[in-house]
Amino acid sequence: YNARAYFLLSFLHPSRYPAYGFNDRRELLDHALALDPAYEAALLRYMEKIGSENVTAKRALYDLSIDRCMAYLDIKPFDAIVWSELAGLYLLGKNYQQAEITIQKALSLDNQNPDIVYNAGIIFYRLTDYPSALEYFNRLIAMNNTLDAYLYRAMIHRHLGDTLAAITDFRYRIRNKTGDGDRYYKEALKGLNRLINELDERGVDVNALETAGQ
């Protein structure tokens, strides 16, 4: 009957969970939250775990995850980070209207947190509200030059027809590769190559385009 004990057990190697009667980290964290619904560290670790699962394929698990967040927010309604995480969960479940309402709630509580601004950009991008998404990614880059914001901004520029701006942002993200496992570097590379191929098919010289834009 100790929420912190379940939370700490969640840091064990997964091979040791069966010894305590659990299959995975999420089950341990679920026990912690059942005992203490306002346990922020456990909830955020729980959200991190379900974010890596296909939670929407398991309706009961998805609904339980929503319930865990709402139980927490009933107790701590001013926690902007949890509102933001809940918005991301709604997005996973394709509940786009609720995702927008919820991220706006998070922003109303804290519009200076880079993680919240980043989530807002992603949500509005997925809603195809490209001008709003662009605003948030511009803000994020101005705040702390978040690298991954350049990839999203490049894709937004492409959707809005600003080809030169898209090329510039794709190339910036490619130049700033963080390592061999940098997934967004690979996405930027694919995006740039796809855009250049499309321009080639239209007979547009990319070098001439960039020179004209300088």
Side-chain angles (χ1 to χ4, degrees):
Y1 301 102
N2 188 310
R4 181 168 171 76
Y6 285 112
F7 174 68
L8 293 175
L9 284 171
S10 76
F11 288 91
L12 289 174
H13 189 276
S15 64
R16 299 186 63 187
Y17 295 155
Y20 297 95
F22 296 95
N23 294 313
D24 59 22
R25 184 203 313 168
R26 179 179 48 76
E27 288 186 11
L28 282 160
L29 294 168
D30 191 56
H31 270 66
L33 291 167
L35 290 167
D36 184 358
Y39 197 159
E40 183 184 45
L43 180 63
L44 294 177
R45 187 163 168 78
Y46 176 85
M47 296 293 286
E48 178 188 1
K49 173 61 179 172
I50 64 171
S52 66
E53 300 179 6
N54 187 12
V55 65
T56 56
K58 307 167 187 173
R59 189 68 201 185
L61 176 56
Y62 177 75
D63 290 342
L64 176 61
S65 302
I66 297 289
D67 290 344
R68 287 285 178 239
C69 288
M70 295 308 299
Y72 177 93
L73 291 167
D74 281 344
I75 301 168
K76 296 182 177 179
F78 302 110
D79 192 323
I81 290 292
V82 173
W83 280 109
S84 178
E85 292 295 320
L86 177 58
L89 186 56
Y90 281 130
L91 186 66
L92 280 176
K94 298 183 179 180
N95 189 342
Y96 298 123
Q97 181 179 13
Q98 200 60 46
E100 181 177 359
I101 292 170
T102 307
I103 197 62
Q104 293 287 16
K105 174 67 175 179
L107 289 164
S108 72
L109 293 168
D110 184 356
N111 62 9
Q112 298 302 312
N113 185 303
D115 291 335
I116 296 174
V117 175
Y118 185 70
N119 271 0
I122 291 174
I123 287 169
F124 283 103
Y125 178 81
R126 292 284 298 277
L127 291 170
T128 68
D129 182 351
Y130 299 124
S132 294
L134 181 61
E135 176 187 341
Y136 287 111
F137 287 121
N138 281 339
R139 188 192 303 179
L140 192 61
I141 288 168
M143 288 168 68
N144 61 0
N145 203 42
T146 300
L147 279 179
D148 292 342
Y150 284 92
L151 172 61
Y152 277 102
R153 196 169 72 169
M155 295 187 295
I156 291 167
H157 285 315
R158 187 179 175 194
H159 284 297
L160 296 176
D162 193 342
T163 303
L164 184 58
I167 291 172
T168 300
D169 279 346
F170 275 135
R171 285 190 166 153
Y172 184 90
R173 184 61 184 84
I174 291 165
R175 286 197 305 271
N176 290 275
K177 179 181 178 181
T178 60
D180 291 339
D182 188 344
R183 181 170 60 89
Y184 278 19
Y185 157 80
K186 296 174 183 176
E187 291 298 321
L189 196 59
K190 286 194 294 187
L192 180 60
N193 288 335
R194 192 180 302 120
L195 181 54
I196 289 174
N197 288 336
E198 289 175 2
L199 292 171
D200 284 343
E201 289 174 2
R202 288 159 43 194
V204 177
D205 186 330
V206 174
N207 292 327
L209 182 67
E210 290 183 293
T211 300
Q214 292 176 352

